[in-house]
Amino acid sequence: MANNPVQEGQATPQENKMGTMPVGRLLATMGLPMALSMLVQALYNVVDSYFVSQLSEEALTAVSLAFPMQNFMIAVASGTAVGVNALLSRSLGCKDLPEAQRSAHNGLFLSLLGTALFLLFGLFFSRAFFETQTAIAAIVDGGEQYLRIVTVFSFGIFFEIMLERLLQSTGRTIYSMISQMVGAITNIILDPIMIFGLLGFPMMGVAGAAAATVIGQILAMLVALYFNLRKNVELPLSLKRMRPNGRTLLTILGVGLPSILMMSIGSVMTYGMNQILLAFTSTAAAVFGVYFKLQSFIFMPVFGLNNAMVPIIAYNYGARKTDRIRKTMILSMIAASCLMVVGFTLFQTIPHVFMNIFEASEEMLSIGVTALRTISYSFIFAGVCIIAGSVFQALGNGVYSLIVSVARQLVVLLPVAYLFSLTGQLDKVWLAFPIAEIVSVCISLALLRRIFQKKIAPLMAQKQA
């Protein structure tokens, strides 16, 4: 990157708060709004499944089996946004406004491509996706309706995520929080209305849950667009500037593709786990889906903290402020670990309360209580792994995050879960989660040490010279 990217006659950009505000205060002011908005996101995920569970266990299972593809869609949107976020924040740290603006517009272009991809999938492959998992007609029919709607109208989630990340990259997390909360609250309100046909609406069942979801996403997208146009002065958006730039796209994808692959691995893992669990009973797959909804209450605030941390580290890496990078990482790990301990405690003490939210049958309750308690042991290690993975991305080395994710979910978790399933004891399958997380934290710490030696230590040496 050029040493002096500000052109002659162009005003020198003022120092962003990410390079000047005390790190603890900065993390709090950026992270708390994101954590709050993520909690609302988690709430609407649970509310969504709660109302669907009122229809039938088959309807709940259908939504659970749709999760891998829905997660893949979010992985593509979020992973692309991670690449944009890292480049944009780094460019702002270097005072390279033209490159920052190019990265924003190229990110929007990539969001358009992602939307087209999932539109085609939704139109032609939704039913086939469910038929590979189960032959139960009620699950296939409900799942097809749900998945087709959320994929065909995926433009809402793609542009919502990208526009919110543009706000986060410049430190305007309060506006990102508002847009996320508007979408989530809209979804929560519309869920019972569209699922059960209240206030004159037709009863849509599972399709109503999908419709409420996409309407919330589209509204959040519009709110985020408004805030970008009116408040994000460093990044003036224009349709004319949404032209692809090869160098910028390659830089974005260099970080974004490993992030997409890393998050997509979660879809592969979920799909594989569903196949293992369906061999026992469809109720086990429903429990697994419920677990993902419940654990979002614990993980979403950590991801909110994560989203605040990435631009801070990327900005200060661009600005060569190594002390701020270290402080940000350490404080983030402490905060994330504290949140995960809270989650572990809740899952250990009141799992039956969580399961009963979803009208759990005796079989579902029995399976679910054991599952939640066993899986939650992985929470103890997960906070460090999540923060380490985002440090890798912020420093432009998303491949390390990919290595950790592949090791945890494909090399360890799925094979161990399958081997335990051969015993014929479902309770043992859940042990694969804490085992995989222990392996993950060991690899994460080793790679974290390596990236600091390669990228941060040289900057510290230059500073001392």
Side-chain angles (χ1 to χ4, degrees), residues 280-315:
F280 287 93
T281 168
S282 63
T283 302
V287 165
F288 188 49
V290 165
Y291 158 72
F292 265 102
K293 301 292 184 179
L294 292 172
Q295 59 95 29
S296 65
F297 269 107
I298 312 303
F299 282 82
M300 283 295 193
V302 178
F303 291 147
L305 173 68
N306 226 25
N307 290 342
M309 182 198 72
V310 168
I312 295 172
I313 288 182
Y315 182 97

Coordinates of all heavy atoms in Angstrom, one line a residue, residues 280-315:
F280 N -30.8 -42.1 14.7 CA -31.4 -42.5 16.0 C -32.9 -42.2 16.0 O -33.7 -43.1 16.2 CB -30.7 -41.7 17.2 CG -29.4 -42.2 17.5 CD1 -28.3 -41.6 16.9 CD2 -29.1 -43.2 18.4 CE1 -27.0 -42.0 17.2 CE2 -27.9 -43.6 18.7 CZ -26.8 -43.0 18.1
T281 N -33.3 -40.9 15.8 CA -34.7 -40.5 15.7 C -34.7 -39.0 15.2 O -33.8 -38.3 15.4 CB -35.3 -40.5 17.2 OG1 -36.5 -39.9 17.1 CG2 -34.4 -39.9 18.2
S282 N -35.8 -38.7 14.6 CA -36.0 -37.3 14.1 C -36.0 -36.3 15.3 O -35.7 -35.1 15.1 CB -37.2 -37.2 13.2 OG -38.4 -37.4 13.9
T283 N -36.4 -36.8 16.4 CA -36.5 -35.9 17.6 C -35.1 -35.5 18.0 O -34.9 -34.3 18.4 CB -37.1 -36.7 18.8 OG1 -38.4 -37.1 18.4 CG2 -37.2 -35.8 20.0
A284 N -34.1 -36.3 17.8 CA -32.7 -35.9 18.1 C -32.2 -34.8 17.2 O -31.6 -33.8 17.6 CB -31.8 -37.1 18.0
A285 N -32.7 -34.8 15.9 CA -32.3 -33.7 15.0 C -33.0 -32.5 15.4 O -32.5 -31.4 15.3 CB -32.7 -34.1 13.6
A286 N -34.3 -32.6 15.9 CA -35.0 -31.4 16.4 C -34.3 -30.8 17.6 O -34.2 -29.6 17.7 CB -36.5 -31.8 16.7
V287 N -33.8 -31.6 18.5 CA -33.1 -31.2 19.7 C -31.8 -30.4 19.2 O -31.5 -29.4 19.8 CB -32.7 -32.3 20.6 CG1 -31.7 -31.9 21.6 CG2 -34.0 -32.9 21.3
F288 N -31.1 -30.9 18.3 CA -29.9 -30.3 17.8 C -30.3 -28.9 17.2 O -29.5 -27.9 17.4 CB -29.3 -31.2 16.7 CG -27.9 -30.7 16.2 CD1 -26.9 -30.4 17.2 CD2 -27.6 -30.6 14.9 CE1 -25.7 -29.9 16.7 CE2 -26.4 -30.2 14.5 CZ -25.4 -29.8 15.4
G289 N -31.4 -28.8 16.5 CA -31.8 -27.5 16.0 C -32.2 -26.5 17.1 O -31.8 -25.4 17.0
V290 N -32.8 -27.1 18.1 CA -33.1 -26.2 19.3 C -31.9 -25.7 20.0 O -31.8 -24.6 20.4 CB -34.0 -27.0 20.3 CG1 -34.1 -26.3 21.6 CG2 -35.4 -27.2 19.7
Y291 N -30.9 -26.6 20.1 CA -29.6 -26.2 20.7 C -29.0 -25.0 20.0 O -28.5 -24.1 20.6 CB -28.6 -27.4 20.7 CG -27.2 -26.9 20.8 CD1 -26.7 -26.4 22.0 CD2 -26.3 -26.9 19.7 CE1 -25.4 -26.0 22.1 CE2 -25.0 -26.4 19.7 CZ -24.6 -26.0 20.9 OH -23.3 -25.5 21.0
F292 N -29.0 -25.1 18.7 CA -28.4 -24.0 17.9 C -29.1 -22.7 18.2 O -28.5 -21.6 18.2 CB -28.4 -24.3 16.4 CG -27.1 -24.9 16.0 CD1 -26.9 -26.2 15.7 CD2 -26.0 -24.0 15.8 CE1 -25.7 -26.8 15.4 CE2 -24.7 -24.6 15.4 CZ -24.6 -25.9 15.2
K293 N -30.5 -22.7 18.3 CA -31.2 -21.5 18.6 C -30.8 -21.0 20.0 O -30.6 -19.8 20.2 CB -32.7 -21.8 18.6 CG -33.2 -22.3 17.2 CD -33.1 -21.3 16.2 CE -33.7 -21.8 14.8 NZ -33.7 -20.8 13.8
L294 N -30.8 -21.9 21.0 CA -30.5 -21.5 22.4 C -29.1 -21.0 22.6 O -28.8 -20.0 23.3 CB -30.8 -22.7 23.3 CG -32.2 -23.1 23.5 CD1 -32.3 -24.4 24.3 CD2 -33.0 -22.1 24.1
Q295 N -28.1 -21.7 22.0 CA -26.7 -21.3 22.2 C -26.4 -19.9 21.5 O -25.5 -19.2 21.9 CB -25.7 -22.3 21.6 CG -25.9 -22.6 20.1 CD -25.0 -21.8 19.2 OE1 -23.9 -21.5 19.6 NE2 -25.4 -21.6 18.0
S296 N -27.3 -19.5 20.6 CA -27.1 -18.1 20.0 C -27.2 -17.0 21.1 O -26.7 -16.0 20.9 CB -28.1 -17.9 18.9 OG -29.5 -17.9 19.4
F297 N -28.0 -17.3 22.2 CA -28.1 -16.3 23.3 C -26.7 -16.1 23.9 O -26.4 -15.0 24.4 CB -29.1 -16.8 24.3 CG -30.5 -16.3 24.1 CD1 -31.4 -17.2 23.7 CD2 -30.8 -15.0 24.3 CE1 -32.7 -16.8 23.5 CE2 -32.1 -14.5 24.1 CZ -33.1 -15.4 23.7
I298 N -25.9 -17.1 23.9 CA -24.5 -17.0 24.5 C -23.5 -16.5 23.5 O -22.7 -15.6 23.7 CB -24.1 -18.4 25.0 CG1 -25.2 -19.0 25.9 CG2 -22.8 -18.2 25.8 CD1 -25.7 -18.2 27.0
F299 N -23.6 -17.1 22.3 CA -22.6 -16.8 21.2 C -22.8 -15.4 20.6 O -21.9 -14.8 20.2 CB -22.6 -17.9 20.2 CG -21.8 -19.1 20.6 CD1 -22.5 -20.1 21.4 CD2 -20.5 -19.3 20.2 CE1 -21.8 -21.2 21.8 CE2 -19.8 -20.5 20.6 CZ -20.5 -21.4 21.4
M300 N -24.1 -15.0 20.4 CA -24.3 -13.8 19.7 C -23.7 -12.6 20.4 O -23.1 -11.7 19.7 CB -25.9 -13.6 19.5 CG -26.5 -14.4 18.4 SD -25.9 -14.0 16.8 CE -27.0 -14.8 15.8
P301 N -23.8 -12.4 21.7 CA -23.1 -11.3 22.3 C -21.6 -11.3 22.1 O -20.9 -10.3 21.9 CB -23.4 -11.4 23.8 CG -24.7 -12.1 23.8 CD -24.6 -13.1 22.7
V302 N -21.0 -12.5 22.1 CA -19.6 -12.7 21.8 C -19.3 -12.3 20.3 O -18.3 -11.6 20.1 CB -19.1 -14.2 22.0 CG1 -17.6 -14.3 21.7 CG2 -19.4 -14.5 23.5
F303 N -20.2 -12.7 19.4 CA -20.0 -12.3 18.0 C -20.1 -10.7 17.9 O -19.5 -10.1 17.0 CB -21.0 -13.0 17.1 CG -20.7 -14.4 17.0 CD1 -21.8 -15.3 16.8 CD2 -19.5 -15.0 17.0 CE1 -21.6 -16.7 16.7 CE2 -19.2 -16.3 16.9 CZ -20.3 -17.2 16.8
G304 N -21.0 -10.1 18.7 CA -21.1 -8.7 18.7 C -19.8 -8.0 19.1 O -19.3 -7.1 18.5
L305 N -19.2 -8.6 20.2 CA -17.9 -8.1 20.7 C -16.8 -8.3 19.6 O -16.0 -7.4 19.3 CB -17.5 -8.9 21.9 CG -16.1 -8.6 22.5 CD1 -15.9 -7.2 23.0 CD2 -15.8 -9.7 23.6
N306 N -16.9 -9.5 18.9 CA -16.0 -9.8 17.8 C -16.1 -8.8 16.7 O -15.1 -8.4 16.2 CB -16.5 -11.2 17.3 CG -15.4 -12.1 17.1 OD1 -14.4 -12.0 17.7 ND2 -15.6 -13.1 16.2
N307 N -17.3 -8.4 16.3 CA -17.5 -7.5 15.2 C -17.0 -6.1 15.5 O -16.5 -5.4 14.7 CB -19.0 -7.4 14.9 CG -19.6 -8.6 14.2 OD1 -18.8 -9.5 13.7 ND2 -20.9 -8.8 14.2
A308 N -17.0 -5.8 16.8 CA -16.4 -4.5 17.3 C -14.8 -4.6 17.2 O -14.1 -3.6 16.9 CB -16.9 -4.1 18.6
M309 N -14.3 -5.8 17.6 CA -12.9 -5.9 17.7 C -12.2 -5.9 16.4 O -11.1 -5.4 16.2 CB -12.6 -7.3 18.4 CG -11.1 -7.5 18.7 SD -10.8 -9.3 19.0 CE -11.1 -10.0 17.3
V310 N -12.8 -6.5 15.3 CA -12.1 -6.7 14.0 C -11.7 -5.3 13.5 O -10.5 -5.1 13.1 CB -13.0 -7.5 13.1 CG1 -12.4 -7.4 11.6 CG2 -13.0 -8.9 13.5
P311 N -12.6 -4.3 13.3 CA -12.2 -3.1 12.8 C -11.2 -2.3 13.6 O -10.3 -1.6 13.1 CB -13.5 -2.2 12.6 CG -14.4 -2.9 13.5 CD -14.1 -4.3 13.6
I312 N -11.2 -2.5 15.0 CA -10.3 -1.8 15.9 C -8.9 -2.4 15.6 O -7.9 -1.6 15.4 CB -10.7 -2.1 17.3 CG1 -12.0 -1.4 17.7 CG2 -9.6 -1.5 18.3 CD1 -12.5 -1.7 19.0
I313 N -8.7 -3.7 15.5 CA -7.4 -4.3 15.3 C -6.9 -4.0 13.9 O -5.8 -3.6 13.7 CB -7.5 -5.8 15.5 CG1 -7.6 -6.1 17.0 CG2 -6.2 -6.5 15.0 CD1 -7.7 -7.6 17.4
A314 N -7.8 -4.1 12.9 CA -7.4 -3.8 11.5 C -7.0 -2.4 11.4 O -6.0 -2.1 10.7 CB -8.6 -4.1 10.6
Y315 N -7.7 -1.4 12.0 CA -7.4 0.0 11.9 C -6.0 0.2 12.5 O -5.1 0.9 11.9 CB -8.4 0.8 12.6 CG -8.2 2.3 12.5 CD1 -8.8 3.1 11.6 CD2 -7.3 2.9 13.4 CE1 -8.6 4.5 11.5 CE2 -7.1 4.3 13.4 CZ -7.7 5.1 12.4 OH -7.5 6.4 12.3

